[in-house]
Amino acid sequence: MNIMSEAAVEKALEQKMSDAHFKMVGKDVSVYYGEKRALFDVNLNVRKNTVTALIGPSGCGKSTFLRTLNRMNDTIEGCRVTGSITLDNADVYDQSVDVVELRARVGMVFQKPNPFPKSIYENIAYGPRIHGLARSKADFDEVVENSLQKAGLFNEVKDRLHEPGTGLSGGQQQRLCIARAIAVGPEVILMDEPCSALDPIATAKVEELIHELRTNFTIVIVTHSMQQAARVSQRTAMFHLGNLVEENDTDKMFTNPDDQRTQDYIMGRFG
Amino acid sequence: MSSAAVTETMRNAGVNWHSDEMKARRKARYAADRRLQIYGMIAIAFALGFLAILVGSLTFTGYKAFTQTVATVEIDLSQAKVDPANIGEADWRGIVRNALRAQLPDLSRSDERKFFEMFTSSGQFLVRDAVVADPGRLKGVSSFTIPMADPVDQLAKGEIRRDVPESQRRVNDTQIGLYDQLVQKGIISTPFNWGLFFNADSRFPELAGLAGAISGSFWSLLVCFAISFPIGIAAAIYLEEFAPKNRLTDLIEVNINNLAAVPSVVFGLLGLAVFLGWLGLPRSAPLVGGFVLALMTLPTLIIVTRVSLKSVPSSIREAALGIGASKHEAIFHHILPLAMPTVMTGSIISLARALGETAPLLLIGMNAFITSPPDGVFAASTALPTQIYIWADSPERGFVSRTSAAILVLLAFLVLMNGIAIFLRQRFERRW
């Protein structure tokens, strides 16, 4: 009667597992910039409430992959994506998907801190305002305070919320950008080398923050620093020349990688 | 070869930094720096020199137009037959002539004609208008200022010299004698010539002013701004933010750049054919002037706006898109406001150029002789540059200095507009 074939059961179970574990799933993702192919059939899953680090030498396609996850590549002229990327099992490249909603759910923090040249308050209130997430002044105040709290910036800036965000230090600006991303309540936060423009102390603070954010958000971070990948991530994916070389637990990746190229890269033999 | 290896090679070759050859070489390089600096300074000196010559000569010929010789005459209107209900109908010509005649009681009858020629022929209208404006003057004696006619004005300013033979000057000996008598009576003075700014054009230099030209230019620029600003910005935003990069948009871009270099007289001909010919819009109207100037300004404005949009760092665009702003939100909330100071500066400078543009306005008839300021964009009018053109063409002596004065006024407006542009740039421009 209700006997399913063993294979079907297994498949269903697997499906359930992936539903539970995988926030975003990339399948055979290829990216072309005009004639040039930048990514070759990448299969990479992003686990829920996990920090996934993408590492690899310059030009390996890690940032390109990151940008396919919230379709920031759409803004680049001549960029084409094939394969599928799903967010909670819904294809983000589907015709029906609203890119505005997608980017609210999959937020992004960029390499160079890029606060709007407006007040700290306005920087954070902007997202909730355009998405209609807050209505009254009290709502906005709350969102701003909460986001700054979560980004660990509130105590540093609470007395100057109405001063320009561009007046903060580099590290503070980057945490402001993280707070800005948090304010629209994303499920996933993408970070594109968020510490590469920061000094070591500011970097430490941002890393600490990433660590804390993991409980509420799924994070994908591109980094050039192997140490940073080792410090902040649970899963690491290694890219090389547009291919995904290896994806593994971070601990395993840095002690006993499966692939020789990963080993070489981590040991600093190329990069 | 790595840099370390290069250093090594140099050391092995025995480079001596203190040898005469090396010293001479360095000296020659420093000399080249200094030469470049000197060429630059010479160029600047030339530019400033020519500017000084321009402004200097204009001021020299034009400053006299800023004063006007006038006679101040007391007129007792209580004795005159003026019907308070119908002031305009009174015999103002007779009243004014009697008052002037009374200044020199022993004037012989034969000299009367020469005497009245010394005053502006429109004195009667000036007095009439002054009384219409203030009917209270009918009750008693009040003083009126009557401009002297152009030749006498020139005599007073020393432009017409007394030592040239009588047959070669426009003021005869009798008039000089009468003029001296008037001066002795103390009724002649040369106050600031407000008429230059508040009168419209006139055939008589002593009455001609720039009011018509200034308001004509104002209306034209208003129309020009109202058309070119929104269209220019919209076109620039589309081309910069939305348009796909293909052959068609390339073609559009090339054409916009070419249009920016088209001589303005061509836009004038276009305006003549299209706005006056096809659409039948009124001739000489600031509306059409504004249209033509807008056509001329648009390409520049589009280019300036595109450049300023491009100069907003892409990180701002990404930041906005990254938190889910739609394209128009990213543009209108972030990119355009940041580009705005440059756009404003660019449009003011384009408008300043449009203000000085003559050729297209000549072709649509804004060089007509119009004696009252326009009361809107449909009324016939001149503009500052065309007024200068008209005056420069007029034979009367008084228009020589008035032309220079008008150019100085135009330059003052240009400097003012550029000053505003610089102020806006300093005040609002952001740097990254």
Side-chain angles (χ1 to χ4, degrees), chain A residues 24-29 42-46 65 69 83-86:
Chain A
M24 298 193 83
V25 176
K27 220 173 210 162
D28 299 328
V29 179
V42 171
N43 289 292
L44 180 62
N45 303 331
V46 176
F65 180 76
L69 296 179
S84 86
I85 291 170
T86 58

Side-chain angles (χ1 to χ4, degrees), chain B residues 112-407:
Chain B
E112 248 179 17
R113 226 176 79 94
K114 287 177 182 166
F115 176 65
F116 289 133
E117 268 176 8
M118 291 170 63
F119 299 89
T120 182
S121 58
S122 304
Q124 46 192 332
F125 306 120
L126 296 176
V127 173
R128 180 196 66 193
D129 293 347
V131 175
V132 170
D134 179 13
R137 288 181 162 206
L138 284 175
K139 293 201 175 69
V141 181
S142 58
S143 67
F144 294 86
T145 53
I146 295 169
M148 303 306 289
D150 183 45
V152 179
D153 186 37
Q154 300 303 321
L155 178 77
K157 289 170 178 170
E159 291 289 309
I160 291 179
R161 302 226 314 268
R162 289 160 188 251
D163 51 8
V164 282
E166 187 180 14
S167 59
Q168 288 174 29
R169 58 175 138 79
R170 294 219 23 224
V171 190
N172 54 40
D173 289 343
T174 323
Q175 286 172 327
I176 291 182
L178 294 173
Y179 171 72
D180 290 340
Q181 287 182 41
L182 289 173
V183 171
Q184 279 202 331
K185 288 206 67 176
I187 62 167
I188 300 288
S189 59
T190 50
F192 186 77
N193 184 9
W194 290 109
L196 186 64
F197 299 97
F198 295 112
N199 291 352
D201 198 10
S202 165
R203 217 179 304 282
F204 307 106
E206 68 270 18
L207 297 176
L210 292 167
I214 291 172
S215 58
S217 276
F218 169 78
W219 288 116
S220 298
L221 287 189
L222 196 71
V223 171
C224 171
F225 182 77
I227 293 173
S228 60
F229 192 72
I231 294 182
I233 287 186
I237 287 179
Y238 177 74
L239 287 173
E240 198 54 42
E241 304 286 339
F242 290 99
K245 301 274 171 288
N246 57 30
R247 296 188 76 133
L248 182 68
T249 49
D250 280 352
L251 191 72
I252 291 174
E253 189 169 346
V254 168
N255 275 305
I256 287 174
N257 291 341
N258 283 341
L259 278 180
V262 166
S264 55
V265 67
V266 176
F267 287 111
L269 282 168
L270 180 78
L272 177 64
V274 175
F275 299 131
L276 300 186
W278 286 358
L279 301 180
L281 291 172
R283 210 164 281 273
S284 309
L287 179 75
V288 182
F291 284 168
V292 173
L293 294 177
L295 286 179
M296 205 198 71
T297 324
L298 258 178
T300 329
L301 199 57
I302 293 174
I303 293 170
V304 169
T305 309
R306 286 191 67 177
V307 169
S308 58
L309 288 175
K310 216 177 271 180
S311 72
V312 175
S314 60
S315 64
I316 298 292
R317 187 172 290 123
E318 288 192 323
L321 295 176
I323 52 170
S326 65
K327 220 162 178 178
H328 89 268
E329 286 166 337
I331 293 167
F332 284 103
H333 296 170
H334 300 289
I335 300 166
L336 195 56
L338 292 173
M340 219 49 198
T342 322
V343 174
M344 287 308 297
T345 311
S347 26
I348 291 173
I349 290 172
S350 314
L351 283 182
R353 207 194 126 197
L355 174 67
E357 202 56 67
T358 326
L361 302 185
L362 293 182
L363 283 164
I364 56 144
M366 285 189 82
N367 56 339
F369 176 68
I370 291 149
T371 53
S372 60
D375 51 6
V377 293
F378 291 102
S381 160
T382 57
L384 270 172
T386 47
Q387 190 69 63
I388 291 168
Y389 177 82
I390 298 168
W391 284 0
D393 235 16
S394 303
E396 287 84 358
R397 197 121 183 205
F399 281 124
V400 176
S401 59
R402 276 179 163 72
T403 304
S404 294
I407 296 172

Side-chain angles (χ1 to χ4, degrees), chain A residues 6 11 17 20-21 30 33 77 86 128 134 142 148 181 183 258-259:
Chain A
E6 212 167 296
K11 207 176 168 206
M17 281 289 290
H21 279 84
S30 294
Y33 293 123
E77 188 87 25
T86 58
E142 195 187 324
L148 285 171
D258 292 335
D259 196 287

Side-chain angles (χ1 to χ4, degrees), chain A residues 67 75 100 103 114 126 131, chain B residues 315 318-319 321 323-324 333-334:
Chain A
R67 284 163 166 264
T75 60
V100 162
R103 289 186 191 143
N114 56 356
Y126 181 69
H131 294 297
Chain B
S315 64
E318 288 192 323
L321 295 176
I323 52 170
H333 296 170
H334 300 289

Side-chain angles (χ1 to χ4, degrees), chain A residues 45-63:
Chain A
N45 303 331
V46 176
R47 295 170 189 222
K48 212 173 249 183
N49 293 10
T50 303
V51 178
T52 308
L54 310 182
I55 62 169
S58 297
C60 66
K62 55 195 189 301
S63 282

Side-chain angles (χ1 to χ4, degrees), chain A residues 197-264:
Chain A
L198 306 184
D199 66 68
I201 294 169
T203 300
K205 282 195 174 161
V206 172
E207 285 181 6
E208 213 173 287
L209 173 60
I210 293 170
H211 208 74
E212 287 164 16
L213 291 176
R214 182 164 76 92
T215 46
N216 293 314
F217 305 97
T218 302
I219 293 172
V220 186
I221 177 171
V222 165
T223 176
H224 260 303
S225 154
M226 236 65 65
Q227 291 85 343
Q228 185 170 66
R231 283 193 299 262
V232 301
S233 72
Q234 288 77 50
R235 297 284 293 182
T236 300
M238 157 81 186
F239 284 74
H240 186 226
L241 300 175
N243 291 296
L244 176 64
V245 173
E246 181 178 353
E247 193 239 343
N248 235 324
D249 279 341
T250 300
D251 292 343
K252 182 162 189 314
M253 196 86 163
F254 283 92
T255 49
N256 184 23
D258 292 335
D259 196 287
Q260 182 62 36
R261 285 172 295 176
T262 314
Q263 174 114 31
D264 289 349

